[in-house]
Amino acid sequence: GNSVTQMEGPVTLSEEAFLTINCTYTATGYPSLFWYVQYPGEGLQLLLKATKADDKGSNKGFEATYRKETTSFHLEKGSVQVSDSAVYFCALRQGAQKLVFGQGTRLTINP
Amino acid sequence: GAGVSQSPSNKVTEKGKDVELRCDPISGHTALYWYRQRLGQGLEFLIYFQGNSAPDKSGLPSDRFSAERTGESVSTLTIQRTQQEDSAVYLCASSSPPGQGIYNEQFFGPGTRLTVL
């Protein structure tokens, strides 16, 4: 079946550091790929997405590229801020149905 | 213009009791999903409703779990004879009909935190 494997956390960085959170997936066909973010005390919200191979999703300075050859969708940001502290979830979806999530990575940014 | 709402926000119950969790999707969203998030883990799919089609119940962990949806509106997730391992945050999401909306994005509610003592 479909599955998503995320880099284990927690991850702690200093402000302005470079961030990478790894995500790889297993799926039949060509799923859509997503990164969701859950800020402290808030609900889950979509951060970025990519629907086909080589697409790059981007939002709020975060980027992720759909790599079919390596079945990966790593999340990157060049310079993190304290406000980026949150839990990040990688997910895939095939068709219009359920999302399959990774286990989540807790990110803490220290000033 | 409200988003997905869920109630209650917190529920504490005793082992063996039944609980009902409610989800109000965004108006006009025909698709509704239930997920479960156990402490320190990712979200697990439970059940999916799409319009008048038969729901996809493939994620329900046992026959103690059931869900209903009235038309394209409110959904109720019921857990019978709760067990301690049912303790989790239960999240509901809704999305617009297939082929409409932006990538059929799923919009999540704030969740119901269930604690079974």
Side-chain angles (χ1 to χ4, degrees):
Chain A
N2 297 340
S3 66
V4 175
T5 301
Q6 261 183 259
M7 170 179 175
E8 288 191 18
V11 174
T12 303
L13 296 172
S14 298
E15 207 165 20
E16 299 184 5
F18 184 87
L19 169 71
T20 300
I21 301 178
N22 290 337
C23 171
T24 57
Y25 67 90
T26 301
T28 55
Y30 303 98
S32 296
L33 301 175
F34 304 83
W35 278 99
Y36 279 82
V37 60
Q38 192 171 34
Y39 296 105
E42 298 186 18
L44 200 65
Q45 54 187 279
L46 180 65
L47 178 61
L48 55 83
K49 57 189 173 293
T51 58
K52 60 183 188 296
D54 300 326
D55 267 2
K56 178 185 284 188
S58 61
N59 186 26
K60 298 182 180 181
F62 290 88
E63 293 184 339
T65 301
Y66 189 140
R67 301 288 188 197
K68 182 173 178 296
E69 63 276 13
T70 55
T71 62
S72 66
F73 193 55
H74 304 322
L75 182 68
E76 296 182 336
K77 186 173 185 180
S79 177
V80 292
Q81 306 300 312
V82 172
S83 57
D84 294 326
S85 298
V87 181
Y88 292 81
F89 294 92
C90 185
L92 68 80
R93 187 187 74 200
Q94 288 192 292
Q97 299 195 13
K98 63 186 179 185
L99 288 161
V100 176
F101 286 88
Q103 72 270 34
T105 302
R106 182 176 298 278
L107 174 66
T108 301
I109 307 300
N110 294 322
Chain B
V4 177
S5 61
Q6 292 185 245
S7 61
S9 55
N10 280 285
K11 176 72 176 178
V12 180
T13 190
E14 294 180 347
K15 178 181 172 180
K17 296 287 180 67
D18 298 352
V19 296
E20 283 191 354
L21 312 180
R22 177 187 169 106
C23 172
D24 282 90
I26 293 172
S27 178
H29 280 190
T30 58
L32 187 148
Y33 309 78
W34 283 98
Y35 296 87
R36 176 171 71 175
Q37 184 178 18
R38 287 171 161 165
L39 186 64
Q41 298 185 25
L43 281 74
E44 306 168 72
F45 166 77
L46 297 176
I47 188 169
Y48 160 59
F49 296 91
Q50 174 57 268
N52 294 319
S53 302
D56 176 356
K57 303 180 181 180
S58 61
L60 294 178
S62 78
D63 59 6
R64 296 187 294 106
F65 287 71
S66 62
E68 293 184 349
R69 188 181 186 193
T70 305
E72 295 181 354
S73 59
V74 171
S75 175
T76 302
L77 177 69
T78 301
I79 308 173
Q80 295 178 311
R81 306 181 301 282
T82 52
Q83 302 296 312
Q84 289 182 332
E85 64 261 27
D86 299 334
S87 296
V89 176
Y90 290 82
L91 290 165
C92 176
S94 70
S95 67
S96 55
Q100 299 181 22
I102 302 175
Y103 304 106
N104 297 114
E105 177 181 346
Q106 292 185 23
F107 293 84
F108 283 81
T112 294
R113 182 175 297 278
L114 175 65
T115 302
V116 182
L117 301 177

